[in-house]
Amino acid sequence: MTDTTLSEPDAALAPLEFAVTKNLAAKSPAVREEILRDPGFGTHFTDHMVDVCWSARGGWHRPRVQPYGPISLDPAAAVLHYGQEIFEGIKAYRHADGGIYTFRPEQNALRLQRSARRLALPELPTSYFLQSLHELIAVDGGWVPSGEDQSLYLRPFMFAKEAFLGVRPANKVAYYLIASPAGSYFTGGVKPVKIWLSETYQRAAKGGTGAAKTGGNYAASLLPQAEAYEQGCDQVVFLDSDGNIEELGGMNILFVKKDGTLLTPSSDSILDGITRNSILELARDRGLTVEQRAVSLAEWREGVASGDITEVFACGTAAVITPIGALKAAGFEDEQPIGELALSLREELTDIQTGRREDTRGWLHRLDA
Ligand SMILES: *Cc1c(COP(=O)(O)O)cnc(C)c1O
Protein backbone atom coordinates (compact mmCIF):
# COMPACT_ATOMS: atom_id res chain seq x y z
CA MET A 1 0.00 0.00 0.00
CA THR A 2 1.17 3.50 -0.70
CA ASP A 3 2.25 5.79 2.07
CA THR A 4 -0.16 8.66 2.68
CA THR A 5 1.83 10.57 5.28
CA LEU A 6 3.67 13.75 4.42
CA SER A 7 7.40 13.49 4.80
CA GLU A 8 8.79 15.66 7.61
CA PRO A 9 10.67 18.27 5.54
CA ASP A 10 7.63 18.62 3.30
CA ALA A 11 5.26 19.26 6.21
CA ALA A 12 7.56 22.01 7.44
CA LEU A 13 7.84 23.86 4.09
CA ALA A 14 6.60 27.44 3.87
CA PRO A 15 3.90 27.88 1.22
CA LEU A 16 4.90 29.24 -2.19
CA GLU A 17 3.90 32.84 -2.94
CA PHE A 18 2.18 32.73 -6.30
CA ALA A 19 2.21 35.78 -8.55
CA VAL A 20 -1.26 35.91 -10.10
CA THR A 21 -1.85 37.45 -13.54
CA LYS A 22 -5.52 37.44 -14.45
CA ASN A 23 -6.55 36.52 -17.97
CA LEU A 24 -8.06 39.70 -19.43
CA ALA A 25 -9.46 37.67 -22.31
CA ALA A 26 -11.13 35.09 -20.04
CA LYS A 27 -14.23 33.44 -21.50
CA SER A 28 -17.48 35.14 -20.53
CA PRO A 29 -19.76 33.27 -18.09
CA ALA A 30 -22.21 32.70 -20.98
CA VAL A 31 -19.56 31.11 -23.23
CA ARG A 32 -18.26 29.06 -20.31
CA GLU A 33 -21.75 27.77 -19.49
CA GLU A 34 -22.21 26.83 -23.13
CA ILE A 35 -18.97 24.78 -23.04
CA LEU A 36 -19.90 23.19 -19.71
CA ARG A 37 -23.21 21.97 -21.13
CA ASP A 38 -21.30 19.42 -23.22
CA PRO A 39 -17.57 19.64 -22.47
CA GLY A 40 -16.48 16.34 -24.06
CA PHE A 41 -13.01 15.30 -22.90
CA GLY A 42 -9.72 17.15 -23.18
CA THR A 43 -10.63 19.73 -25.81
CA HIS A 44 -11.60 22.80 -23.78
CA PHE A 45 -9.30 24.43 -21.24
CA THR A 46 -9.87 26.87 -18.41
CA ASP A 47 -8.71 30.49 -18.47
CA HIS A 48 -5.57 30.05 -16.38
CA MET A 49 -2.65 27.73 -15.73
CA VAL A 50 -0.15 27.36 -12.92
CA ASP A 51 3.57 27.01 -13.38
CA VAL A 52 6.55 26.69 -11.09
CA CYS A 53 10.18 26.63 -12.25
CA TRP A 54 12.93 24.44 -10.89
CA SER A 55 16.65 24.70 -11.34
CA ALA A 56 19.47 22.66 -9.89
CA ARG A 57 20.88 25.85 -8.33
CA GLY A 58 17.73 27.55 -7.09
CA GLY A 59 15.28 24.71 -6.44
CA TRP A 60 11.58 25.52 -6.86
CA HIS A 61 11.01 29.18 -7.71
CA ARG A 62 8.84 31.68 -9.65
CA PRO A 63 5.43 30.20 -8.81
CA ARG A 64 2.85 31.76 -11.11
CA VAL A 65 -0.79 31.71 -12.03
CA GLN A 66 -1.12 33.12 -15.53
CA PRO A 67 -3.47 33.19 -18.50
CA TYR A 68 -3.76 29.81 -20.22
CA GLY A 69 -1.77 29.84 -23.43
CA PRO A 70 1.17 28.54 -25.46
CA ILE A 71 4.47 27.87 -23.73
CA SER A 72 7.64 29.24 -25.28
CA LEU A 73 10.36 26.60 -25.38
CA ASP A 74 13.86 26.52 -26.78
CA PRO A 75 13.99 24.04 -29.69
CA ALA A 76 16.84 22.30 -27.84
CA ALA A 77 14.68 21.78 -24.70
CA ALA A 78 15.58 18.29 -23.50
CA VAL A 79 11.97 17.08 -23.27
CA LEU A 80 11.57 17.47 -27.05
CA HIS A 81 14.51 15.14 -27.67
CA TYR A 82 14.73 12.68 -24.80
CA GLY A 83 11.21 12.64 -23.40
CA GLN A 84 12.07 13.55 -19.81
CA GLU A 85 8.46 14.19 -18.76
CA ILE A 86 5.87 13.01 -16.23
CA PHE A 87 2.23 13.82 -15.53
CA GLU A 88 -0.79 13.20 -13.34
CA GLY A 89 -4.55 13.08 -13.83
CA ILE A 90 -7.04 14.00 -11.11
CA LYS A 91 -10.61 15.32 -11.07
CA ALA A 92 -12.39 18.10 -9.18
CA TYR A 93 -16.10 17.66 -8.48
CA ARG A 94 -18.82 20.19 -7.69
CA HIS A 95 -20.91 18.93 -4.77
CA ALA A 96 -24.57 19.75 -4.18
CA ASP A 97 -23.54 22.31 -1.50
CA GLY A 98 -21.58 24.18 -4.21
CA GLY A 99 -18.20 23.18 -2.73
CA ILE A 100 -15.37 21.92 -4.96
CA TYR A 101 -13.69 18.71 -3.87
CA THR A 102 -11.01 16.45 -5.21
CA PHE A 103 -10.24 12.82 -4.47
CA ARG A 104 -7.10 11.62 -2.63
CA PRO A 105 -4.81 14.30 -4.10
CA GLU A 106 -1.95 13.37 -1.73
CA GLN A 107 -1.81 10.05 -3.59
CA ASN A 108 -1.29 11.87 -6.88
CA ALA A 109 1.39 14.04 -5.25
CA LEU A 110 3.24 10.97 -3.98
CA ARG A 111 2.94 9.22 -7.33
CA LEU A 112 4.27 12.31 -9.13
CA GLN A 113 7.25 12.10 -6.76
CA ARG A 114 7.79 8.41 -7.57
CA SER A 115 7.50 9.13 -11.30
CA ALA A 116 9.98 12.00 -10.85
CA ARG A 117 12.53 9.73 -9.20
CA ARG A 118 12.33 7.23 -12.10
CA LEU A 119 12.63 9.96 -14.75
CA ALA A 120 15.46 11.76 -12.90
CA LEU A 121 13.27 14.85 -12.39
CA PRO A 122 13.03 16.88 -9.15
CA GLU A 123 10.37 15.80 -6.65
CA LEU A 124 7.66 18.43 -6.20
CA PRO A 125 6.82 18.52 -2.47
CA THR A 126 3.29 17.33 -1.64
CA SER A 127 2.36 20.70 -0.12
CA TYR A 128 3.38 22.55 -3.32
CA PHE A 129 1.38 20.09 -5.41
CA LEU A 130 -1.72 20.64 -3.28
CA GLN A 131 -1.15 24.39 -3.30
CA SER A 132 -1.05 24.40 -7.10
CA LEU A 133 -4.51 22.78 -7.20
CA HIS A 134 -5.90 25.37 -4.76
CA GLU A 135 -4.36 28.27 -6.72
CA LEU A 136 -5.92 27.14 -10.00
CA ILE A 137 -9.34 26.54 -8.45
CA ALA A 138 -9.15 30.00 -6.81
CA VAL A 139 -9.16 31.62 -10.27
CA ASP A 140 -10.96 28.97 -12.36
CA GLY A 141 -13.42 27.45 -9.86
CA GLY A 142 -16.27 28.56 -12.13
CA TRP A 143 -15.09 25.91 -14.60
CA VAL A 144 -16.00 23.01 -12.32
CA PRO A 145 -19.26 21.74 -13.85
CA SER A 146 -22.16 20.55 -11.73
CA GLY A 147 -23.90 18.16 -14.14
CA GLU A 148 -24.26 14.43 -13.62
CA ASP A 149 -20.94 12.62 -14.27
CA GLN A 150 -19.18 15.92 -14.97
CA SER A 151 -15.93 17.12 -13.43
CA LEU A 152 -12.95 19.37 -14.02
CA TYR A 153 -10.04 17.19 -15.11
CA LEU A 154 -6.79 18.51 -13.64
CA ARG A 155 -3.57 17.75 -15.48
CA PRO A 156 -0.35 18.43 -13.53
CA PHE A 157 2.82 17.79 -15.54
CA MET A 158 6.55 18.37 -15.38
CA PHE A 159 9.21 18.41 -18.08
CA ALA A 160 12.88 19.09 -18.80
CA LYS A 161 13.12 22.54 -20.36
CA GLU A 162 16.89 23.05 -20.30
CA ALA A 163 18.32 23.78 -23.76
CA PHE A 164 21.01 21.13 -23.96
CA LEU A 165 21.47 18.24 -26.37
CA GLY A 166 23.82 16.29 -24.13
CA VAL A 167 22.25 13.32 -22.41
CA ARG A 168 21.88 13.82 -18.65
CA PRO A 169 19.07 14.87 -16.27
CA ALA A 170 18.12 18.47 -17.08
CA ASN A 171 19.14 21.27 -14.74
CA LYS A 172 16.06 23.31 -15.63
CA VAL A 173 12.57 21.91 -15.26
CA ALA A 174 9.04 23.28 -15.37
CA TYR A 175 5.98 22.10 -13.44
CA TYR A 176 2.61 23.10 -14.89
CA LEU A 177 -1.03 22.56 -14.01
CA ILE A 178 -3.78 22.95 -16.59
CA ALA A 179 -7.45 21.99 -16.36
CA SER A 180 -10.10 20.80 -18.76
CA PRO A 181 -13.83 20.36 -18.08
CA ALA A 182 -14.94 16.78 -18.66
CA GLY A 183 -18.34 15.31 -19.37
CA SER A 184 -19.48 11.77 -19.00
CA TYR A 185 -16.84 9.50 -20.53
CA PHE A 186 -19.54 7.35 -22.03
CA THR A 187 -22.25 8.83 -24.15
CA GLY A 188 -25.42 6.88 -23.47
CA GLY A 189 -24.34 5.05 -20.31
CA VAL A 190 -21.48 2.75 -19.37
CA LYS A 191 -20.91 0.24 -22.18
CA PRO A 192 -18.71 -2.87 -21.99
CA VAL A 193 -15.58 -2.43 -24.12
CA LYS A 194 -13.94 -4.89 -26.45
CA ILE A 195 -10.22 -5.17 -25.92
CA TRP A 196 -7.39 -6.31 -28.13
CA LEU A 197 -4.59 -8.44 -26.68
CA SER A 198 -1.31 -7.11 -28.00
CA GLU A 199 1.06 -10.04 -28.42
CA THR A 200 3.50 -8.14 -30.64
CA TYR A 201 4.12 -5.01 -28.58
CA GLN A 202 4.70 -4.24 -24.91
CA ARG A 203 4.20 -0.90 -23.21
CA ALA A 204 6.78 -1.45 -20.49
CA ALA A 205 9.62 -3.75 -19.53
CA LYS A 206 10.98 -5.19 -16.33
CA GLY A 207 13.09 -2.44 -14.77
CA GLY A 208 11.65 0.04 -17.28
CA THR A 209 9.28 2.96 -16.75
CA GLY A 210 5.95 1.09 -16.61
CA ALA A 211 5.22 2.17 -13.03
CA ALA A 212 5.90 5.84 -13.82
CA LYS A 213 3.25 8.09 -15.32
CA THR A 214 5.35 9.30 -18.23
CA GLY A 215 4.50 10.26 -21.79
CA GLY A 216 6.87 7.68 -23.27
CA ASN A 217 4.70 4.80 -22.04
CA TYR A 218 1.77 6.36 -23.87
CA ALA A 219 3.83 6.96 -27.01
CA ALA A 220 4.72 3.24 -26.97
CA SER A 221 1.04 2.30 -26.67
CA LEU A 222 -0.23 4.31 -29.67
CA LEU A 223 0.71 1.85 -32.42
CA PRO A 224 -0.83 -1.15 -30.64
CA GLN A 225 -3.86 1.08 -29.89
CA ALA A 226 -4.19 1.80 -33.62
CA GLU A 227 -3.98 -1.97 -34.24
CA ALA A 228 -6.81 -2.44 -31.72
CA TYR A 229 -9.02 -0.01 -33.67
CA GLU A 230 -8.26 -1.88 -36.90
CA GLN A 231 -9.39 -5.03 -35.14
CA GLY A 232 -12.67 -3.41 -34.15
CA CYS A 233 -11.60 -3.09 -30.50
CA ASP A 234 -11.73 -0.07 -28.17
CA GLN A 235 -8.60 -0.61 -26.07
CA VAL A 236 -5.45 -2.71 -25.83
CA VAL A 237 -4.42 -5.00 -22.99
CA PHE A 238 -0.69 -5.57 -22.65
CA LEU A 239 1.30 -8.52 -21.35
CA ASP A 240 4.30 -7.90 -19.11
CA SER A 241 7.74 -9.21 -19.94
CA ASP A 242 6.94 -12.53 -18.21
CA GLY A 243 3.90 -12.95 -20.45
CA ASN A 244 1.41 -12.22 -17.65
CA ILE A 245 -1.49 -9.78 -17.93
CA GLU A 246 -0.29 -6.27 -17.19
CA GLU A 247 -2.82 -3.48 -17.86
CA LEU A 248 -4.51 -1.45 -20.58
CA GLY A 249 -2.82 1.58 -22.19
CA GLY A 250 -4.12 3.86 -19.46
CA MET A 251 -6.21 1.72 -17.12
CA ASN A 252 -5.62 -1.10 -14.63
CA ILE A 253 -7.45 -4.42 -14.98
CA LEU A 254 -9.36 -6.45 -12.36
CA PHE A 255 -10.98 -9.89 -12.36
CA VAL A 256 -13.93 -10.94 -10.21
CA LYS A 257 -14.05 -14.59 -9.18
CA LYS A 258 -17.02 -16.77 -8.31
CA ASP A 259 -15.73 -17.23 -4.76
CA GLY A 260 -15.86 -13.47 -4.08
CA THR A 261 -12.22 -12.69 -4.80
CA LEU A 262 -11.16 -9.52 -6.57
CA LEU A 263 -7.94 -10.31 -8.42
CA THR A 264 -5.58 -7.81 -10.04
CA PRO A 265 -2.13 -8.30 -11.55
CA SER A 266 0.95 -7.21 -9.67
CA SER A 267 4.23 -6.50 -11.37
CA ASP A 268 6.79 -3.70 -11.23
CA SER A 269 5.79 -2.53 -14.71
CA ILE A 270 2.18 -1.67 -13.77
CA LEU A 271 1.04 1.87 -13.00
CA ASP A 272 -0.16 1.93 -9.39
CA GLY A 273 -3.66 3.29 -10.00
CA ILE A 274 -5.41 5.32 -7.31
CA THR A 275 -8.78 4.22 -8.69
CA ARG A 276 -7.68 0.59 -8.45
CA ASN A 277 -6.38 1.00 -4.89
CA SER A 278 -9.63 2.71 -3.85
CA ILE A 279 -11.72 -0.06 -5.44
CA LEU A 280 -9.67 -2.71 -3.62
CA GLU A 281 -10.35 -0.88 -0.35
CA LEU A 282 -14.10 -0.67 -1.03
CA ALA A 283 -14.09 -4.37 -1.94
CA ARG A 284 -12.31 -5.34 1.30
CA ASP A 285 -14.85 -3.34 3.27
CA ARG A 286 -17.59 -5.32 1.54
CA GLY A 287 -15.96 -8.52 2.79
CA LEU A 288 -14.45 -9.54 -0.55
CA THR A 289 -10.99 -11.08 -0.68
CA VAL A 290 -8.41 -9.05 -2.56
CA GLU A 291 -5.51 -10.73 -4.34
CA GLN A 292 -2.64 -8.94 -6.07
CA ARG A 293 -0.44 -11.41 -7.92
CA ALA A 294 0.64 -12.47 -11.39
CA VAL A 295 -2.31 -13.46 -13.62
CA SER A 296 -1.51 -15.45 -16.74
CA LEU A 297 -3.46 -15.29 -19.97
CA ALA A 298 -4.25 -19.00 -19.50
CA GLU A 299 -5.73 -18.35 -16.06
CA TRP A 300 -7.93 -15.60 -17.52
CA ARG A 301 -9.16 -17.65 -20.48
CA GLU A 302 -9.69 -20.86 -18.49
CA GLY A 303 -11.39 -18.94 -15.68
CA VAL A 304 -13.88 -17.43 -18.10
CA ALA A 305 -14.45 -20.79 -19.83
CA SER A 306 -15.09 -22.61 -16.54
CA GLY A 307 -17.21 -19.86 -15.00
CA ASP A 308 -14.63 -19.29 -12.28
CA ILE A 309 -14.18 -15.68 -13.46
CA THR A 310 -17.51 -13.88 -13.39
CA GLU A 311 -16.51 -10.36 -14.44
CA VAL A 312 -13.55 -8.45 -15.86
CA PHE A 313 -13.23 -4.68 -15.73
CA ALA A 314 -10.76 -1.83 -16.22
CA CYS A 315 -10.37 1.28 -14.08
CA GLY A 316 -8.74 4.70 -14.02
CA THR A 317 -9.56 8.31 -13.16
CA ALA A 318 -10.90 9.30 -16.59
CA ALA A 319 -13.46 6.51 -17.15
CA VAL A 320 -13.67 5.32 -13.48
CA ILE A 321 -14.75 1.69 -14.16
CA THR A 322 -15.42 0.08 -17.53
CA PRO A 323 -16.68 -3.49 -17.86
CA ILE A 324 -14.78 -5.57 -20.42
CA GLY A 325 -17.21 -7.35 -22.75
CA ALA A 326 -14.82 -9.19 -25.04
CA LEU A 327 -11.17 -10.12 -25.39
CA LYS A 328 -9.86 -10.49 -28.92
CA ALA A 329 -6.44 -11.74 -30.01
CA ALA A 330 -4.86 -12.93 -33.25
CA GLY A 331 -6.03 -16.49 -32.63
CA PHE A 332 -9.29 -16.20 -30.66
CA GLU A 333 -12.15 -14.04 -29.46
CA ASP A 334 -13.62 -14.66 -25.99
CA GLU A 335 -16.89 -13.14 -24.82
CA GLN A 336 -16.55 -11.97 -21.23
CA PRO A 337 -19.20 -12.52 -18.56
CA ILE A 338 -20.96 -9.35 -17.42
CA GLY A 339 -21.87 -9.16 -13.75
CA GLU A 340 -23.10 -6.64 -11.21
CA LEU A 341 -20.01 -5.92 -9.15
CA ALA A 342 -18.19 -3.54 -11.50
CA LEU A 343 -21.18 -1.23 -11.80
CA SER A 344 -21.99 -1.40 -8.12
CA LEU A 345 -18.40 -0.48 -7.16
CA ARG A 346 -18.48 2.26 -9.79
CA GLU A 347 -21.60 3.70 -8.21
CA GLU A 348 -20.18 3.55 -4.69
CA LEU A 349 -16.95 5.23 -5.75
CA THR A 350 -18.57 7.99 -7.82
CA ASP A 351 -21.11 8.59 -5.04
CA ILE A 352 -18.24 9.25 -2.62
CA GLN A 353 -16.38 11.44 -5.13
CA THR A 354 -19.42 13.56 -5.92
CA GLY A 355 -20.68 13.83 -2.33
CA ARG A 356 -23.80 11.70 -2.76
CA ARG A 357 -22.48 9.28 -0.14
CA GLU A 358 -20.61 10.03 3.07
CA ASP A 359 -16.82 9.99 2.82
CA THR A 360 -15.89 7.86 5.85
CA ARG A 361 -12.27 7.34 4.79
CA GLY A 362 -11.04 10.94 4.51
CA TRP A 363 -10.62 10.62 0.75
CA LEU A 364 -12.09 14.00 -0.18
CA HIS A 365 -10.12 17.22 -0.10
CA ARG A 366 -11.89 20.56 -0.40
CA LEU A 367 -10.24 22.85 -2.93
CA ASP A 368 -12.26 26.06 -2.71
CA ALA A 369 -11.81 26.77 0.98
C1 LIG B 1 -3.02 6.94 -14.91
C2 LIG B 1 -2.93 5.51 -15.31
C3 LIG B 1 -3.77 4.53 -14.75
C4 LIG B 1 -4.89 4.84 -13.79
O1 LIG B 1 -4.47 5.44 -12.62
P1 LIG B 1 -5.53 6.24 -11.73
O2 LIG B 1 -4.73 6.76 -10.60
O3 LIG B 1 -6.55 5.27 -11.30
O4 LIG B 1 -6.11 7.30 -12.60
C5 LIG B 1 -3.58 3.22 -15.13
N1 LIG B 1 -2.64 2.88 -16.03
C6 LIG B 1 -1.83 3.80 -16.60
C7 LIG B 1 -0.81 3.36 -17.58
C8 LIG B 1 -1.95 5.14 -16.26
O5 LIG B 1 -1.15 6.04 -16.84
Side-chain angles (χ1 to χ4, degrees), residues 87-89 108 111 203 210 213 218 247-252 271-276 315-318:
F87 66 96
E88 272 302 321
N108 295 86
R111 188 168 65 192
R203 64 176 279 285
K213 215 167 172 69
Y218 280 74
E247 62 170 316
L248 278 57
M251 295 175 98
N252 296 129
L271 197 287
D272 190 18
I274 296 160
T275 314
R276 177 175 73 158
C315 69
T317 295

